[in-house]
Amino acid sequence: MTAPPDEAKRALRRAMKSTLASMGAPALAQASARVTETLLAREEVTRARAVLAFYPIEHEIDLRPLVATLLARGVRVALPRVEWASRQMSAIELASPADVAPVRVGPVRVGAGGPVTLLEPAGNREIGPEALDLVLVPGLAFDALGGRLGRGAGFYDRFLGGCVAARHVGVGLDAQVVEAVPMGPGDVPLHAVVTDRRWIPVQTRSA
């Protein structure tokens, strides 16, 4: 019998968190460098004029070198800002790679659990979702059909629904790619996934 989607998601989150926790910092740094190299060679990135990226929490790919490179090229780069009360996310433009402030967030739990500190943009200049060309999306698991498993709060799925012109690209380790991510009606599929080993186009999603 197939597990219900929510139960299957919880089981996959546990498995992925265990997998990620076993990865050392040097290996993650090397993987992050390979992901950045791949992204900078992709047309989706080189042609983008407005990009939503992310800064890492524990065990996530580090895109800070990518952000610095894009800003130096004159690309508009934003980071997410989340509002827990309204359960909404916005894209706030960076003036520089260091234009961030630490924000301690309770509901987000990583590894064994507990509050974490997110680096959120310090400014207030918002880029509307309809103006973005590319959204780089973190996650716990991905598949080749565009499926993505987040951490359960739903911020990205709600935000991606308004990004009508943007390409949605999942960013993670190759170990996070699974055969099938359980998807619900509110889950927005990706256009592609980039890992430390490959670029995975999603052929079944319309352009």
Side-chain angles (χ1 to χ4, degrees), residues 70-81:
L70 294 179
L71 286 172
R73 293 178 178 179
V75 179
R76 299 179 71 192
V77 181
L79 294 182
R81 176 178 292 162

Side-chain angles (χ1 to χ4, degrees), residues 145 164 166-168 189-192 202-207:
L145 298 177
V164 294
R167 305 294 289 178
H168 312 154
L190 305 169
H191 294 100
V202 176
Q203 302 293 344
T204 56
R205 181 176 169 85
S206 59

Side-chain angles (χ1 to χ4, degrees), residues 150-195:
R151 295 182 182 273
F155 285 107
Y156 271 94
D157 288 308
R158 285 187 288 273
F159 184 83
L160 291 175
C163 299
V164 294
R167 305 294 289 178
H168 312 154
V169 177
V171 180
L173 300 163
D174 211 66
Q176 293 175 262
V177 179
V178 299
E179 182 176 353
V181 171
M183 297 283 281
D187 297 329
V188 177
L190 305 169
H191 294 100
V193 177
V194 61
T195 78

Side-chain angles (χ1 to χ4, degrees), residues 123-136:
N124 291 298
R125 185 162 57 179
E126 183 175 355
I127 301 178
E130 71 286 347
L132 292 165
D133 301 310
L134 176 66
V135 181
L136 301 174

